[in-house]
Amino acid sequence: MVDTEEQRLDIIKNCNLLLDGYLSYFKQTDDSPQGRMITQLKWLKERAENHDLPLPVPKEKLSSLLYIYTTGEIYAVYDYEKPILEQFNKETIEKIMDRLITLTEEGGLLTKKEYFPYIVRVIDALILLIEKSDYNLESYKDEFIRDLRDIQKRLNENDIDIDPPLGAYKSHYPNFISVYRLIRQDPIGKKYYRIVSNAIFDGRRPDGWLTPEDADHESQKLLDEVIRL
């Protein structure tokens, strides 16, 4: 977990995306989930702007964000409000909340396009590790590698649908779940797997990747580590 100016700016940005977007149609009140979320986001934004938001933020300070995200209550509207919700993409709203949780509760760094080349490199390292290892991946090995190559291709092409976190897309890659169950006993395999999975499906890059230069250095170290095995 880290505590950087980048995270504070990202918190302000993502709070504004909700406050100036979907939530701008609702009143700040304790009587609705949207109103409580407005209160939560205004508090986060103000603290971030004042450089008075130590990261990670204690869970008790994020109760509205965490509860409303978990229950999906932000989409609970009266019939007359349904046209408001229909103007917005639920997946986009969920991604914004997911990013805010990564930034605040986890104190994490977001996955961004400038870091895609280094995720691609770590995927190369993970594939090489799988090919060199004696992991018993049963029937999942070839399909898992195909999934990894597909993600690489989409990252290289800046595919419009690649906008981490891709939690909703994880079901499109069922081998990720199966392989983790088989690879998690090996510390090295688990490390590489988690970097890729966290970056793509959770939208969180490694804490050491503070800048693209750091990511270049750290991802090359990871690849070199596998090459030497």
Side-chain angles (χ1 to χ4, degrees), residues 4-66:
T4 69
E5 182 65 11
E6 177 191 350
Q7 290 162 293
R8 271 179 279 281
L9 293 174
D10 284 340
I11 289 168
I12 295 167
K13 173 185 174 182
N14 282 280
C15 284
N16 282 335
L17 287 174
L18 284 177
L19 291 170
D20 297 338
Y22 174 59
L23 292 177
S24 67
Y25 293 86
F26 298 89
K27 294 181 179 179
Q28 184 175 351
T29 171
D30 289 339
D31 296 332
S32 73
Q34 293 86 4
R36 293 192 296 275
M37 183 66 86
I38 291 170
T39 300
Q40 174 80 93
L41 297 182
K42 284 185 174 180
W43 180 83
L44 284 171
K45 179 183 173 183
E46 180 181 352
R47 290 298 185 93
E49 289 175 336
N50 292 336
H51 292 79
D52 186 27
L53 188 71
L55 301 175
V57 180
K59 279 190 177 183
E60 60 269 20
K61 300 288 187 180
L62 299 170
S63 57
S64 292
L65 172 61
L66 297 176

Side-chain angles (χ1 to χ4, degrees), residues 91-103:
E91 184 182 320
T92 299
I93 294 171
E94 189 164 319
K95 280 188 177 184
I96 296 169
M97 291 192 292
D98 203 332
R99 287 173 181 145
L100 282 169
I101 290 170
T102 294
L103 290 161

Side-chain angles (χ1 to χ4, degrees), residues 119-154:
I119 300 169
V120 167
R121 186 181 287 163
V122 178
I123 292 175
D124 275 333
L126 178 57
I127 291 172
L128 180 59
L129 179 65
I130 290 170
E131 290 174 336
K132 293 177 69 171
S133 75
D134 57 358
Y135 297 138
N136 178 21
L137 299 184
E138 301 172 359
S139 60
Y140 304 113
K141 178 178 177 180
D142 291 342
E143 292 179 3
F144 182 57
I145 290 176
R146 278 197 294 271
D147 285 349
L148 290 171
R149 290 298 186 200
D150 178 66
I151 291 171
Q152 274 189 319
K153 181 175 181 291
R154 296 175 67 191

